[in-house]
Amino acid sequence: MLSRLMSGSSRSLEREYSCTVRLLDDSEYTCTIQRDAKGQYLFDLLCHHLNLLEKDYFGIRFVDPDKQRHWLEFTKSVVKQLRSQPPFTMCFRVKFYPADPVALKEEITRYLVFLQIKRDLYHGRLLCKTSDAALLAAYILQAEIGDYDPGKHPEGYSSKFQFFPKHSEKLERKIAEIHKTELSGQTPATSELNFLRKAQTLETYGVDPHPCKDVSGNAAFLAFTPFGFVVLQGNKRVHFIKWNEVTKLKFEGKTFYLYVSQKEEKKIILTYFAPTPEACKHLWKCGIENQAFYKLEKSSQVRTVSSSNLFFKGSRFRYSGRVAKEVMESSAKIKREPPEIHRAGMVPSRSCPSITHGPRLSSVPRTRRRAVHISIMEGLESLRDSAHSTPVRTSSHGDTFLPHVRSSRADSNERVAVIADEAYSPADSVLPTPVAEHSLELMLLSRQINGATCIEEEKESEASTPTAAELEALGGELRALCQGHGRPEEEQAMVCLQNPLSGEPAH
């Protein structure tokens, strides 16, 4: 009898798995789940830990053994979805960006959205013109270090913060100027709210980019936003399709189709090619979920969707959550004392070092950086001065709410828009789709030509790190090669992108 009880207890222990979830402030939440635990159970644990009620905007992201990123499905077993060996590592992220983050009911929700958008700025997902970038970064400075104090903030103090993938001295001076002269007296909550108000007006707000190619073989980034489907190429938004114009989403192998019905019965089919069939399926599922969340009036209208014209063939998928309208109605009924918010402050961060009061990334010796995988995507330039932002809240945020800022822009008939001064080129480590890896030599050469900063989150195992001398030698070889072909270095630029190792959580 005793042996039987012991064996049963042993089997029970074997069915428990350790999970670590990285939160938006880079802290970690660790828990134990049963083998058959559903994604909803883990998500509810996280939201309880964060004291979060407006939770429908968030999700849990993970990377499978093939480096393909996924959103955890709440109706399925966690263990079966991950397909990797425990302990499991995942990330808590914004999945559905609020159409107007300023209008969120609770400050804790707005603060978490702020942290996500700040990450988007740092990793190049949220890109804007340099004129906007300085203001957004200044809001971050004000939120994190307070009013300018000449005794504490010497000349060049803004260069100690890494707001974007790359900085220029001119941009850093502008950031400091705005911080010194325009933001004095703003509390962290106010600065964060102003940041959200500005960030939501950007063309790339809410963009979770999927790298693809169009029918001509040109590189493009596809994304789903609160307002519709967008395609980014170079520094332009070449397509913007409102959700009410999207009639169907389909994929076959690596080919993704978007069916559009516009005014005057004009029908269009947009076709793009993903790197892998798995990436294409992930793109399709993201589209199905975003369309249901933002377009439908009630979750009861959600239907199971097939990837094929024949319902009994292909993949089938059904969105399982509430829709945006229901979430907003539910949020309006929240009545409780606002939960206390523990802002990250001046704490070192692995993947969003704007809150690390240390040397600018470009000045950190390369021998101190971990080697990373990269991807070279033809036709795109490396990101230089991208934008950064911060979340804020005032005591009466309803009084400062601007309800028509985004809607008026989204309703514009303009389909092509310039989104930034530079080409859209987010870090590969934040893309939801894996991109083919290239050799270390290409990585080093592209770093030298672009001056691009490549960092990665902490990893269990480290690869060998190249020395500064090796970098200089390889850079000289490539410069000589470029000169030999009579082309300027700018035209030879290659994109230095991050690529997480297998099993590394998605940003």
Side-chain angles (χ1 to χ4, degrees):
M1 183 66 178
L2 181 60
S3 62
R4 188 176 300 175
L5 289 173
M6 292 178 63
S7 62
S9 176
S10 175
R11 285 195 298 272
S12 177
L13 289 174
E14 290 175 357
R15 295 181 55 163
E16 293 184 345
Y17 296 85
S18 175
C19 291
T20 297
V21 182
R22 290 182 181 170
L23 307 179
L24 285 162
D25 62 356
D26 279 326
S27 63
E28 294 183 346
Y29 174 79
T30 302
C31 64
T32 301
I33 62 171
Q34 298 293 324
R35 180 182 181 86
D36 57 353
K38 299 289 195 297
Q40 187 68 56
Y41 173 76
L42 176 60
F43 184 68
D44 288 343
L45 283 179
L46 276 171
C47 293
H48 178 75
H49 171 74
L50 294 168
N51 207 353
L52 177 65
L53 294 183
E54 296 175 285
K55 56 187 179 181
D56 299 79
Y57 299 105
F58 302 86
I60 299 175
R61 174 169 265 170
F62 67 94
V63 182
D64 69 20
D66 298 322
K67 300 183 183 179
Q68 174 64 52
R69 291 166 178 78
H70 303 272
W71 289 105
L72 191 70
E73 295 186 40
F74 294 163
T75 59
K76 297 182 179 180
S77 163
V78 175
V79 176
K80 290 183 179 179
Q81 290 184 72
L82 265 62
R83 298 191 295 112
S84 59
Q85 294 298 317
F88 302 127
T89 304
M90 292 161 274
C91 287
F92 178 82
R93 298 290 183 260
V94 172
K95 183 176 182 181
F96 302 111
Y97 287 75
D100 189 344
V102 179
L104 291 168
K105 176 73 172 182
E106 296 201 300
E107 180 183 356
I108 181 65
T109 316
R110 293 191 294 275
Y111 178 63
L112 291 174
V113 173
F114 155 71
L115 292 178
Q116 176 67 67
I117 299 175
K118 190 171 127 181
R119 301 179 73 92
D120 294 346
L121 285 165
Y122 173 71
H123 289 293
R125 271 185 300 241
L126 181 64
L127 185 62
C128 71
K129 296 180 180 179
T130 307
S131 57
D132 295 324
L135 176 60
L136 292 169
Y139 282 138
I140 293 176
L141 266 185
Q142 181 68 26
E144 294 184 355
I145 68 175
D147 291 346
Y148 169 71
D149 183 345
K152 296 179 180 179
H153 308 136
E155 187 70 23
Y157 69 100
S158 64
S159 66
K160 304 298 182 181
F161 296 82
Q162 184 72 27
F163 301 108
F164 321 113
K166 288 189 65 181
H167 284 210
S168 69
E169 292 183 5
K170 181 179 179 181
L171 178 60
E172 289 169 356
R173 289 194 297 269
K174 184 63 177 177
I175 293 170
E177 178 186 346
I178 296 174
H179 177 238
K180 292 176 183 178
T181 61
E182 299 180 23
L183 307 183
S184 180
Q186 289 191 11
T187 64
T190 302
S191 297
E192 293 166 359
L193 187 64
N194 289 334
F195 164 75
L196 288 180
R197 185 179 292 114
K198 181 62 180 178
Q200 70 173 345
T201 67
L202 302 178
E203 297 292 346
T204 51
Y205 169 74
V207 165
D208 187 16
H210 299 251
C212 293
K213 289 188 176 182
D214 61 19
V215 292
S216 299
N218 301 314
F221 290 98
L222 278 56
F224 309 102
T225 76
F227 312 99
F229 170 80
V230 299
V231 179
L232 307 174
Q233 285 185 306
N235 68 336
K236 293 182 175 64
R237 183 199 67 192
V238 297
H239 286 294
F240 167 57
I241 311 296
K242 301 175 186 177
W243 282 123
N244 60 5
E245 297 175 341
V246 177
T247 59
K248 186 177 182 180
L249 300 169
K250 192 180 76 169
F251 84 96
E252 294 177 359
K254 296 191 292 184
T255 309
F256 175 76
Y257 303 95
L258 184 109
Y259 292 74
V260 182
S261 180
Q262 296 178 338
K263 295 179 181 179
E264 301 176 356
E265 298 184 354
K266 181 181 179 181
K267 295 184 178 180
I268 303 173
I269 301 178
L270 298 179
T271 305
Y272 290 90
F273 304 97
T276 65
E278 293 75 18
C280 198
K281 182 177 181 179
H282 176 65
L283 171 64
W284 172 72
K285 290 172 69 173
C286 288
I288 296 299
E289 291 189 308
N290 277 270
Q291 185 180 30
F293 184 81
Y294 295 115
K295 182 179 180 179
L296 300 182
E297 296 288 322
K298 299 178 181 179
S299 54
S300 59
Q301 297 174 328
V302 175
R303 298 288 182 266
T304 300
V305 181
S306 174
S307 64
S308 172
N309 289 328
L310 299 176
F311 189 75
F312 58 86
K313 293 185 65 177
S315 298
R316 298 174 64 185
F317 182 67
R318 179 188 177 93
Y319 171 60
S320 60
R322 295 191 295 182
V323 300
K325 187 175 181 179
E326 293 174 330
V327 174
M328 294 175 66
E329 292 172 349
S330 176
S331 296
K333 300 176 183 178
I334 295 177
K335 293 181 180 180
R336 66 168 178 173
E337 286 295 318
E340 184 179 359
I341 296 178
H342 302 282
R343 285 180 168 81
M346 302 300 295
V347 179
S349 169
R350 281 189 300 270
S351 58
C352 197
S354 67
I355 59 175
T356 303
H357 206 118
R360 195 168 39 155
L361 196 64
S362 59
S363 65
V364 177
R366 295 187 184 276
T367 54
R368 291 173 53 192
R369 302 183 196 168
R370 292 183 173 89
V372 297
H373 296 286
I374 63 157
S375 171
I376 308 302
M377 299 192 66
E378 203 172 37
L380 294 178
E381 297 176 356
S382 64
L383 193 64
R384 291 200 291 272
D385 294 334
S386 73
H388 200 106
S389 60
T390 302
V392 180
R393 184 189 74 89
T394 60
S395 57
S396 57
H397 71 278
D399 297 336
T400 56
F401 171 46
L402 304 177
H404 303 298
V405 172
R406 283 291 292 186
S407 59
S408 61
R409 187 193 61 76
D411 290 338
S412 171
N413 291 325
E414 182 184 12
R415 298 288 170 175
V416 178
V418 176
I419 60 174
D421 304 319
E422 303 298 329
Y424 190 79
S425 178
D428 190 24
S429 63
V430 304
L431 298 179
T433 301
V435 184
E437 297 174 8
H438 294 264
S439 66
L440 179 62
E441 180 179 359
L442 284 176
M443 174 184 69
L444 303 180
L445 295 179
S446 64
R447 282 181 176 179
Q448 280 292 312
I449 290 299
N450 289 332
T453 56
C454 295
I455 63 171
E456 64 175 4
E457 291 191 354
E458 286 186 347
K459 293 179 170 52
E460 295 296 329
S461 59
E462 293 188 30
S464 59
T465 306
T467 65
E470 292 172 332
L471 289 170
E472 182 63 30
L474 288 170
E477 292 177 8
L478 184 56
R479 281 191 290 271
L481 180 61
C482 294
Q483 293 170 358
H485 284 77
R487 300 177 63 185
E489 291 181 4
E490 291 78 14
E491 295 182 11
Q492 300 286 342
M494 295 179 289
V495 183
C496 184
L497 300 173
Q498 296 172 302
N499 193 7
L501 298 179
S502 178
E504 193 67 15
H507 293 269

